[in-house]
Amino acid sequence: MATLKEVAGRAGVSQSTVSRLLNDPSFSIKEETRRRVLRVCEEMGYRNVFRPAIAVLDAPPSGEELQDAYFADLRKVLAERAESLELDQLTFIRSIHELTERATEFDGFITVGAPVFPEADLRALHMVLPHGVCIDTNPAPRLFDSVCPDLSQTMLDALDAMIAAGRSHIAFLGGVGSIMGMHDYPEDIRELSFRQWAAHLGLETDGLVYSSGTFTVENGYRLAEQLVADHREAGSMPDGLIVAADVLAVGALQALNALRVEVPDELAVVSVNNQSIARYTSPLSSYAIDQRELARMAFSTLIDGLKHERRVRRHILLTTELVPRASFVPQA
């Protein structure tokens, strides 16, 4: 076990400063120095006293009530996890520039629904606050860690389940997103994965991918209307539909109902997220994303990085699980 002298030397302070900090609650010291000393105590096994100050870069896409509900649930889960770890209350910050300016107040950060930030902004943040974990997507994989649902595997699982249930003419409905990395590609990882896995499985995708616009109920309705218009009279209706997110699926199911497309007999529908709305719409079969596990792994990854100063970034993928309901019943 390290000595008080060794801890003081690593932290760049005097032995008396370390001693008073650990033993005198009234001792006044700069917050940045306090955190540094406590972190060194933890790293060197002197005493388990490190309680990191963590910010949440809260920058989700805006506007759609159901999509907002997903991120609202995630914020709540993060706050509950921080409380269970006996950490200070999380600070939610909406701007990457504000987080960069306030970097000295925090040891690390977690992102919620981060959009594609400019590369210069990400590098500036990394210079002053190098420890960050991005949830759901990662705008800078070489700079920050991430914990995400394995949406590529989810697409394969959905295709496999549809095929096993006798569906072979399968369409995809999605919106514009971005692929991991500092690139604003107008393609969501779910669409990319659907195309790749369908090709590997020998499935036709020409004219069966409807992926444009925002993740909203209205856009889901519009895309489903277009799908039916393109295929019903031509006699080429798909028998399965994989939807990128519940918010789109709600609109799609409304359109299919209005157009008298029988779900699931004529067209089986499965989605992703398993939000509470999925239980009451159709009801909708959906792949559940375990937000509590996302939060648990995000804190675990961040605290591990703070303690051990890793140079290698970690990208953790969590599987999803199908919650079957009436819109698609998988083969037993």
Side-chain angles (χ1 to χ4, degrees):
M1 178 173 149
T3 65
L4 185 68
K5 181 178 180 180
E6 290 170 332
V7 170
R10 173 81 71 85
V13 297
S14 67
Q15 294 182 55
S16 63
T17 294
V18 177
S19 179
R20 291 190 64 188
L21 176 61
L22 297 179
N23 297 294
D24 181 2
S26 66
F27 180 53
S28 178
I29 187 174
K30 286 184 178 179
E31 178 62 21
E32 187 175 359
T33 304
R34 184 187 71 85
R35 294 202 311 271
R36 184 174 71 251
V37 172
L38 296 181
R39 184 189 300 174
V40 171
C41 287
E42 184 83 18
E43 290 173 354
M44 301 184 72
Y46 184 75
R47 195 180 296 183
N48 184 16
V49 290
F50 181 51
R51 294 292 182 270
I54 298 174
V56 177
L57 179 54
D58 186 14
S62 61
E64 172 53 55
E65 182 178 356
L66 294 181
Q67 194 174 21
D68 289 347
Y70 172 84
F71 293 108
D73 290 343
L74 185 53
R75 292 184 200 102
K76 180 180 178 181
V77 168
L78 286 170
E80 290 173 350
R81 185 60 187 170
E83 183 178 2
S84 73
L85 293 170
E86 299 182 345
L87 301 176
D88 291 339
Q89 187 173 1
L90 299 175
T91 301
F92 288 82
I93 295 176
R94 299 301 298 268
S95 162
I96 190 172
H97 298 109
E98 181 184 353
L99 180 57
T100 302
E101 291 171 358
R102 297 177 59 183
T104 57
E105 300 177 33
F106 307 106
D107 296 291
F109 68 93
I110 293 171
T111 68
V112 173
V116 178
F117 294 112
E119 180 177 352
D121 292 347
L122 290 164
R123 294 196 181 280
L125 176 60
H126 184 262
M127 286 291 292
V128 294
L129 197 60
H131 298 287
V133 178
C134 303
I135 293 180
D136 279 334
T137 186
N138 192 339
R142 298 192 65 82
L143 300 180
F144 304 115
D145 297 328
S146 66
V147 180
C148 303
D150 190 349
L151 296 178
S152 177
Q153 183 64 47
T154 299
M155 291 299 102
L156 176 58
D157 290 346
L159 284 165
D160 282 343
M162 286 275 185
I163 292 169
R167 312 282 174 161
S168 59
H169 195 49
I170 304 168
F172 176 84
L173 192 153
V176 175
S178 59
I179 300 169
M180 179 184 284
M182 292 190 239
H183 306 284
D184 192 9
Y185 294 125
E187 185 177 31
D188 183 80
I189 188 65
R190 287 156 287 196
E191 177 190 344
L192 177 68
S193 299
F194 173 84
R195 290 182 183 276
Q196 291 178 335
W197 288 122
H200 283 306
L201 294 170
L203 300 175
E204 181 61 54
T205 60
D206 287 348
L208 292 173
V209 175
Y210 291 79
S211 189
S212 63
T214 56
F215 282 77
T216 63
V217 171
E218 292 75 16
N219 193 42
Y221 194 106
R222 178 185 67 82
L223 292 172
E225 267 191 324
Q226 188 62 54
L227 181 152
V228 175
D230 291 345
H231 293 282
R232 175 178 267 173
E233 290 189 9
S236 58
M237 274 289 290
D239 54 14
L241 176 63
I242 298 173
V243 186
D246 292 346
V247 63
L248 289 169
V250 169
L253 288 170
Q254 290 174 352
L256 295 174
N257 181 63
L259 295 169
R260 302 185 184 280
V261 175
E262 295 294 330
V263 177
D265 294 341
E266 183 180 355
L267 180 64
V269 180
V270 66
S271 182
V272 181
N273 279 5
N274 193 42
Q275 292 180 249
S276 58
I277 189 67
R279 295 195 295 270
Y280 310 112
T281 305
S282 179
L284 175 65
S285 297
S286 187
Y287 282 87
I289 296 173
D290 190 334
Q291 290 188 331
R292 294 190 181 281
E293 187 63 12
L294 284 175
R296 188 181 76 82
M297 291 305 302
F299 279 105
S300 174
T301 302
L302 180 58
I303 292 172
D304 177 80
L306 289 168
K307 288 181 178 179
H308 302 293
E309 293 289 342
R310 289 183 284 101
R311 295 183 62 85
V312 177
R313 303 275 67 84
R314 287 182 181 174
H315 303 300
I316 299 171
L317 295 176
L318 304 180
T319 58
T320 59
E321 182 177 358
L322 178 62
V323 179
R325 300 187 181 92
S327 71
F328 171 64
V329 180
Q331 185 172 343

